[in-house]
Amino acid sequence: MVSVLDAPSKTDSTESAAALLAWYDRHRRILPWRALPGETPDPYRVWLSEIMLQQTTVTAVKPYYERFLARFPTVEALAQAPQEAVMQAWAGLGYYSRARNLHACAKMVVAVHGGRFPAEEKALLSLPGIGAYTAGAIAAIAFGKVAVAVDGNVERVMSRLHAVTEPLPSAKPLIRELTLAMVPQRRPGDFAQALMDLGATICTPKKPACVLCPLALPCRARAAALAETFPRKETKTTGRLRRGAAFVALRADGRVLLRTRPPKGLLGGMAEVPVSDWRHDYAISEALRDAPLAGPWRRAPGTVRHVFTHFPLELAVFTATFGIDTAPPAGGRWVPRHDLAGEALPNVMRKVLEKALGG
């Protein structure tokens, strides 16, 4: 099978890049981490935003970014912060390994690079949590290097522009090659952001606004009236449903029992109420065997459902109230209810607490 009809000429690529940059100059999005025309991009802000935007929408990231930047305004401030503070600031954004890598990266930038992010992709790739996409984005946007940053938006734009029939993810190397061939020597950072903006606002997954697109003329998918069928994707398999139990222990003085998950693995280093193992064959009828304390446990109506990247989860929630002198079990701590907002609680635990405590 031919994955792309034929390679674009250098002239075609140059003209397409020029058209895209002209469109970007008129329609660029104003984002809190993006330098305005004439401003010098801040590598720290570029890096922070790109890490936050992985698997997360711009709308969701904006308030987190602004609060995070106010709390840790420089890479030095972030490196010096305790990990618990970083996890608290990240809580709710999901994909929590990003926060741990973010903190480790900040420490390495300070310790190894004197607080300055390296400009070259190879050096950037040696930092924790920075892969090919993020390295390309930082190199291009923050340092003006000829580099590519291929995210989902860019994959969609380029697969339509060239009618790439090979499905994702196997088409990723080809799309990266096509994108690199199009990057201009001048303004590679603006080009990277222009492709992102085009995919986010014009070349959308459904009902793309082809009539407004600066790349409409050379777009092969549009010419064939097949834009919405690209990019082609391999069939995705959904993980098997897992079940478990969550235990919300309340003390008579209004404190809630929490503990911290192990630093490695799913939701590593985050706070949680005590929970059972999460298994597809978990027997809810025997859940009280996993309770952290012996007590008058009662099951809340219904369940809490949450979807992780690789599997859906269904939790039965149990609540019980204990005397004011009750000691926490090993690894647990009693937290005042009014302090829960400051804990590094992932979304699934916030759902559990909302069901148990009523918000």
Side-chain angles (χ1 to χ4, degrees):
M1 180 194 301
V2 177
S3 296
V4 63
L5 296 180
D6 55 273
S9 70
K10 185 64 177 177
T11 299
D12 290 341
S13 295
T14 300
E15 290 176 353
S16 294
L20 181 61
L21 285 169
W23 171 85
Y24 180 70
D25 288 339
R26 296 190 301 272
H27 302 291
R28 62 190 293 157
R29 290 180 293 175
I30 305 300
L31 300 172
W33 48 81
R34 182 176 285 180
L36 295 173
E39 292 182 346
T40 301
D42 180 346
Y44 174 64
R45 296 187 177 204
V46 173
W47 164 71
L48 177 60
S49 67
E50 291 298 339
I51 299 297
M52 286 188 165
L53 286 165
Q54 293 171 9
Q55 308 293 325
T56 312
T57 66
V58 167
T59 301
V61 164
K62 279 182 180 179
Y64 280 93
Y65 170 84
E66 289 168 343
R67 289 195 297 268
F68 200 97
L69 191 65
R71 190 167 181 178
F72 311 111
T74 64
V75 69
E76 289 85 0
L78 180 56
Q80 293 166 8
Q83 186 175 36
E84 181 179 327
V86 177
M87 300 304 284
Q88 287 174 351
W90 192 274
L93 263 181
Y95 300 91
Y96 296 98
S97 62
R98 294 182 298 170
R100 295 191 294 274
N101 285 330
L102 188 87
H103 196 211
C105 182
K107 289 183 174 182
M108 185 174 290
V109 168
V110 170
V112 178
H113 299 281
R116 295 177 178 273
F117 281 86
E120 302 298 331
E121 283 184 272
K122 184 176 180 180
L124 287 165
L125 284 167
S126 69
L127 297 173
I130 294 185
Y133 165 78
T134 308
I138 296 171
I141 298 170
F143 298 107
K145 301 292 184 180
V146 175
V148 293
V150 181
D151 65 356
N153 284 323
V154 175
E155 286 175 345
R156 186 167 56 255
V157 171
M158 299 304 292
S159 68
R160 288 173 176 173
L161 180 63
H162 299 286
V164 177
T165 58
E166 184 179 358
L168 290 169
S170 57
K172 286 179 179 287
L174 173 60
I175 292 174
R176 181 178 177 83
E177 181 182 333
L178 291 169
T179 307
L180 184 59
M182 193 174 165
V183 178
Q185 293 291 319
R186 292 185 62 252
R187 302 179 64 189
D190 282 346
F191 175 81
Q193 293 175 111
L195 271 181
M196 296 174 194
D197 281 11
L198 188 69
T201 63
I202 300 293
C203 195
T204 51
K206 296 182 179 180
K207 297 182 179 179
C210 297
V211 69
L212 301 177
C213 181
L215 302 180
L217 188 61
C219 181
R220 291 168 175 171
R222 182 203 62 81
L226 293 172
E228 284 196 57
T229 71
F230 291 92
R232 306 289 166 80
K233 296 182 180 180
E234 295 173 0
T235 303
K236 182 184 289 188
T237 57
T238 302
R240 192 174 180 183
L241 174 67
R242 300 185 193 181
R243 294 184 174 89
F247 300 92
V248 180
L250 307 171
R251 210 166 68 172
D253 58 357
R255 293 174 180 251
V256 179
L257 181 63
L258 295 184
R259 65 187 187 187
T260 301
R261 291 180 66 87
K264 302 291 185 180
L266 183 66
L267 305 179
M270 303 299 289
E272 67 173 5
V273 300
V275 293
S276 68
D277 290 340
W278 299 343
R279 306 191 311 268
H280 66 85
D281 60 349
Y282 186 80
I284 299 298
S285 60
E286 300 178 3
L288 293 186
R289 295 180 179 181
D290 294 318
L293 297 166
W297 293 100
R298 300 181 64 181
R299 182 176 175 180
T303 58
V304 166
R305 291 186 62 87
H306 190 79
V307 178
F308 291 101
T309 304
H310 301 297
F311 66 92
L313 174 67
E314 192 174 89
L315 291 175
V317 178
F318 294 83
T319 62
T321 301
F322 296 87
I324 195 169
D325 295 326
T326 304
R333 63 186 187 279
W334 293 107
V335 177
R337 186 168 171 175
H338 57 75
D339 288 343
L340 290 176
E343 289 286 335
L345 290 160
N347 285 334
V348 63
M349 289 299 134
R350 294 181 186 276
K351 291 179 184 179
V352 167
L353 287 166
E354 183 176 356
K355 173 168 279 293
L357 304 179

